[in-house]
Amino acid sequence: MIYTVTFNPAIDYVMKFPQVRHGGVNRSVSELMFYGGKGINVSVVLSQLGVSNTALGFIAGFTGTELETGVRAMGVNTDFIRLDKGMTRINVKVSAEHEVTELNAGGPDIDEASLARLTEQTDRMKDGDTIVLAGSIPKCLPGNTYEKLIARLSDRNIRVVVDAEKELLTNILKYRPFLIKPNIEELSAIFGKPVSGMDEVRECAVKLREMGAQNVIVSMGSNGAFLLDENGEKHFHTAFSSGKTINAVGAGDSMVAGFLAGYERGFDYALVLGLAAGAATAFSEGIATREAIDELMKQTGF
Ligand SMILES: Nc1ncnc2c1ncn2[C@@H]1O[C@H](COP(=O)(O)OP(=O)(O)OP(=O)(O)O)[C@@H](O)[C@H]1O
Ligand SMILES: [Mg+2]
């Protein structure tokens, strides 16, 4: 079973306006709602690809109930921990004149007892299971929350996938995560210098493997992705270019899902399925669908 963890999920409420006047009344021309958070995005794409998985994380209030219903309606099993206080965030995205202004809420506080319940869930995971930790840790939790969770799993046969930034990522490399997927900006932040060009990308990936990661994917948006696999073999693929980019948020999460879904069929297939899932998300308003991914896969030799 693959488990994803989303500490601070959100309902994204996207409102479109021709233009926005500050301090005045603005009437939207359309509204869309998305249920998300990085772990949930991974879960949704896994489910689209027919991979059974469970979304874990924390929800609160009536918005939490709605989020859970929405995520389940997308075919994802959930086992969220309900917090007694606060409410799951609604993040408002104001889209006007080709720009999106994001109004993001902080989200509910996660108390110690609820965090302990997540540890109980990870303790119950079985040999061969995979856990995906994606995104940042809410401010209410100690910065070493990922590290503590992963340290506890480290002597067990559980694949750990981490898609996070800076120290959150570097601090866990010693526990030999199965997969990490920094993008170029994250890579630059980790190494404290702007990373550009394939030679530098390769060098950084090699260093991250030396630091402990088993598989390293460096995603480069519309420039494709590079994989340094667990055997030290290098793979590169250009991105799909057959669609129009509409909204690339979540492309990285989709790529993680595609890679996991394709892993048993070999590294090249897994990487290409990751690229297809990422592109299918970038080419649509929300997250990739099975149909869109299949359509892109038809263009490949797989
Ligand atoms: N505009 C695009 N056109 C085609 N493919 C894309 C595009 N954007 C992303 N992808 C695909 O998705 C993969 C992951 O995207 P990206 O590098 O933007 O991840 P990310 O920055 O981690 O995104 P996020 O954190 O928002 O999920 C890319 O390697 C690429 O294969
Ligand atoms: Mg990302």
Side-chain angles (χ1 to χ4, degrees), residues 2-12 33-48 51 53-60 62-82 88-89 287:
I2 299 180
Y3 296 89
T4 66
V5 185
T6 308
F7 279 87
N8 199 3
I11 296 175
D12 285 346
M33 197 128 94
F34 298 103
Y35 303 95
K38 294 184 130 348
I40 291 172
N41 292 341
V42 175
S43 272
V44 168
V45 177
L46 283 172
S47 294
Q48 287 292 314
V51 179
N53 71 94
T54 301
L56 307 177
F58 301 92
I59 54 170
F62 76 100
T63 45
T65 307
E66 174 58 25
L67 180 113
E68 183 172 50
T69 307
V71 172
R72 285 188 179 162
M74 289 187 281
V76 177
N77 301 318
T78 66
D79 194 4
F80 291 125
I81 294 158
R82 182 166 279 283
T88 291
R89 307 181 285 170
I287 294 293

Side-chain angles (χ1 to χ4, degrees), residues 158-190:
I158 290 175
R159 286 177 181 157
V160 177
V161 179
V162 180
D163 185 8
E165 295 181 17
K166 294 191 209 156
E167 293 79 32
L168 228 46
L169 182 65
T170 48
N171 288 346
I172 59 89
L173 292 176
K174 56 178 176 284
Y175 299 112
R176 310 214 61 241
F178 171 71
L179 173 67
I180 62 172
K181 191 220 65 63
N183 61 27
I184 288 282
E185 292 81 49
E186 288 156 355
L187 210 57
S188 305
I190 289 168

